[in-house]
Amino acid sequence: MSAATDATVLVGGGSMLRADEDGGVRQRPDDLARGLFLRDCRALSERVLRVDGRALDVAAATGTRSVRSVVLLPRVSRNESSDVVVILTQRVDADGLHEWLTLRSTSRADREVDVALDVAVDAADPFALRSDKRTFDRSDAVRTITVEGDGVRVEHRRREYAIAFRIESDGPLDEVSVDERDTSARLVRRVTVRAGQEARIAFRTRVTTAATAGADRAGADHADVAGAATAGADRAGGALAAADPAWPTRPDVEEPHDLRTRARDDLQALRMPAPGLQADSGDHVVGAGVPWFLTLFGRDSLLTALLAGDDAPDLLVPVLRALAAEQATAVDVARVAEPGKLPHELRIDELAVLGEVPYRHYHGSVDVTPLFLVGLGQAPDDVARELEPAARAAVAWMRGPGGLDEHGFLRYTPDPAGLVHQGWKDSEDAVAHADGRVVDSGAIALCEVQGYAWRALVSTARTAREVWGDPRFASSLEADAAALRDRFRSTFWSERLGVPVLALDGDGAQVEVVSSNTGHLLWSGILSAPEARAVADRLLRDDVFSGWGLRTLATGSARYAPLSYHNGSVWPHDTAIAAVGMAAYGLQSEARRVADGLLAAAQACGGTLPELFGGIERSAFPVPVSYRQAARPQAWAVAAVFAALRITRD
């Protein structure tokens, strides 16, 4: 269940179902993300199952992150017994939502069971559902619904964007009716169940190919849009569903019961086809999280792979390849793209495709490019050779547009049409001075990004010397790294705080607040041993360490708010990065203390850490206080569990 709502979440292959406990979808004004989402579009906005005209109550449930089984009983009066037991198994994967129903009779006579599935499709765009103050006029969209074989087909079209869904049964329907006003339908099957026996039927909802008229441009520009022509769909990481794909076998369900197994299940569920890779490559990246971030995010995917380490050894290389495939080759102001820069995120939803949000191929992050180089330094030699051109272009970006040569540090300029802040803390007020003034203009330099840049230069120098056979390039990178380390120490260190500051603002002034960002400096290795000790000690003070994890901002800061997004909350990946860094500097007891808090939080959260939770101290309440809109599962929060387990095991 979600920490803040009673939504049940199933994820798999880039698809997501957020449903009620009984597997149904009913819209709620306080939870706009209910529904089945396929290819970044809501394929089911309503879904209600009835048996013999009766609502169904949950009697038992078990499941993994991608598969769930529930025992459903038709609702009856007190002391009245139902003679039908329904076992519903749902699975979400890249092909859509599969539903298997077992109808078990407890009667002594044969009987006919009436099964009705009510569905509606609104084809909502996730950006139109998010409560982030943006509104979009989609009134020119056209949706149609038609009866087609043993199911119904809904097609949604808006200008060059088109997508189609099919909701179908594995056998003939006894009744089917549609309402064109809200593109809804009722699918009915009447099944004879022998006395004491059981019968099985199935339904599924999948993406199918939309008519190509008017969609050619969409197919050419981004063939991963499900409604575009099938030609070119391989680039999206998966061809469109076949006309009549085979019905899969009902899966077994074995619920994970320990933190490591739960984390593996969560991470596996978040894997999805990688944009930019061929469909038959078998490579899958990890989507950042649900409900709003189920796509490739450069920073999230890289840090997830790096934190997960040997617990997911096959994750890093596909991420590197996918990002390299989307590396910018030209300046595009709207996408914040510059030659050599790696992408922040990729989207295939309607609003992104039509250019109404800038995130189709968005490069608005300052840290993905150095993190790409850090990741490449941990990849096999053959991959380092394969991606050498991308790596050299990334270094050129860091030295050039990234700001190392001109400013001495990697910097970013706020993007008013996209992300104001372009580090991992990307909310509008995430960077603010000690007096609360928000930094929102000029070329901004974040402390942790300089650590990433230093580690990227050092790592790439080693690769250049040992793998590429280019000692001259390696020496130049080592010289850049040494100079950056010296500049960082003299410019970012605050004598008053005793640790580095959060950032330099657009005028070059220090943003002198204590933040969790300094923990990333431990992970990067840019600090000396005494500096690392000072940073670790500061992070473990009560105003930063809550007992569960590290607050993003110390409690005495003007902007501190324990239930804010980035100004006092606890982010598990942020805490884990600091703990890994402490261990790397030999600060084992400090690292274990932080990791123990994080694992206790995971246990208290039912085994899956959310994207973030409140910064309220552990002594105040026996479980972490939830942040209502937190994604769960979130990839790098899942990876944080692996990192914490390694620290406590070593």
Side-chain angles (χ1 to χ4, degrees), residues 319-381:
V319 170
L320 293 170
R321 286 178 171 147
L323 294 176
E326 293 288 344
Q327 188 173 37
T329 58
V331 174
D332 186 332
V333 175
R335 297 191 295 118
V336 201
E338 294 155 332
K341 196 176 184 184
L342 279 302
H344 173 269
E345 67 182 285
L346 307 176
R347 294 279 187 176
I348 61 170
D349 63 288
E350 171 190 321
L351 293 172
V353 168
L354 297 180
E356 294 174 40
V357 296
Y359 306 119
R360 172 67 189 100
H361 301 272
Y362 189 64
H363 288 67
S365 69
V366 70
D367 51 6
V368 175
T369 304
L371 287 172
F372 172 85
L373 293 171
V374 172
L376 189 63
Q378 297 189 22
D381 288 354

Side-chain angles (χ1 to χ4, degrees), residues 349-632:
D349 63 288
E350 171 190 321
L351 293 172
V353 168
L354 297 180
E356 294 174 40
V357 296
Y359 306 119
R360 172 67 189 100
H361 301 272
Y362 189 64
H363 288 67
S365 69
V366 70
D367 51 6
V368 175
T369 304
L371 287 172
F372 172 85
L373 293 171
V374 172
L376 189 63
Q378 297 189 22
D381 288 354
D382 62 327
V383 177
R385 294 187 189 96
E386 171 194 340
L387 299 181
E388 180 182 350
R392 289 181 181 271
V395 170
W397 176 83
M398 288 173 58
R399 287 171 162 171
L404 278 183
D405 288 349
E406 179 181 358
H407 301 288
F409 300 109
L410 285 190
R411 292 178 178 256
Y412 65 91
T413 301
D415 175 20
L419 294 174
V420 173
H421 291 296
Q422 295 171 23
W424 83 263
K425 294 179 181 177
D426 57 7
S427 52
E428 292 184 358
D429 62 349
V431 182
H433 284 284
D435 60 5
R437 287 178 295 120
V438 173
V439 177
D440 57 7
S441 62
I444 301 163
L446 298 170
C447 72
E448 78 277 11
V449 174
Q450 315 318 313
Y452 301 161
W454 179 85
R455 183 167 173 177
L457 292 168
V458 171
S459 178
T460 308
R462 183 171 55 252
T463 301
R465 179 171 282 109
E466 298 176 2
V467 181
W468 302 338
D470 191 343
R472 177 177 295 183
F473 187 48
S475 296
S476 71
L477 294 172
E478 289 163 346
D480 285 351
L484 174 59
R485 192 178 209 175
D486 290 341
R487 284 194 303 274
F488 179 81
R489 183 171 293 114
S490 63
T491 309
F492 274 81
W493 197 271
S494 167
E495 295 302 326
R496 183 177 69 85
L497 300 180
V499 292
V501 298
L502 168 60
L504 304 180
D505 69 13
D507 296 321
Q510 290 187 339
V511 180
E512 203 171 15
V513 295
V514 175
S515 70
S516 63
N517 300 55
T518 57
H520 295 232
L521 299 172
L522 296 168
W523 178 80
S524 75
I526 194 173
L527 302 175
S528 67
E531 291 166 344
R533 165 63 71 180
V535 168
D537 289 347
R538 187 64 188 86
L539 291 175
L540 285 171
R541 290 189 196 175
D542 290 344
D543 62 343
V544 178
F545 184 55
S546 73
W548 301 114
L550 302 179
R551 297 182 180 93
T552 44
L553 194 64
T555 58
S557 306
R559 284 267 168 186
Y560 172 74
L563 294 174
S564 64
Y565 199 50
H566 287 131
N567 286 321
S569 54
V570 173
W571 286 65
H573 87 280
D574 181 42
T575 294
I577 285 172
V580 171
M582 291 175 188
Y585 275 98
L587 305 174
Q588 299 299 335
S589 62
E590 291 83 353
R592 286 185 66 91
R593 182 180 172 194
V594 174
D596 284 342
L598 204 54
L599 294 176
Q603 293 283 12
C605 291
T608 297
L609 283 166
E611 174 189 18
L612 71 154
F613 50 85
I616 295 171
E617 62 273 17
R618 185 175 177 179
S619 60
F621 201 71
V623 298
V625 176
S626 65
Y627 180 89
R628 191 180 184 282
Q629 292 83 12
R632 188 169 182 261

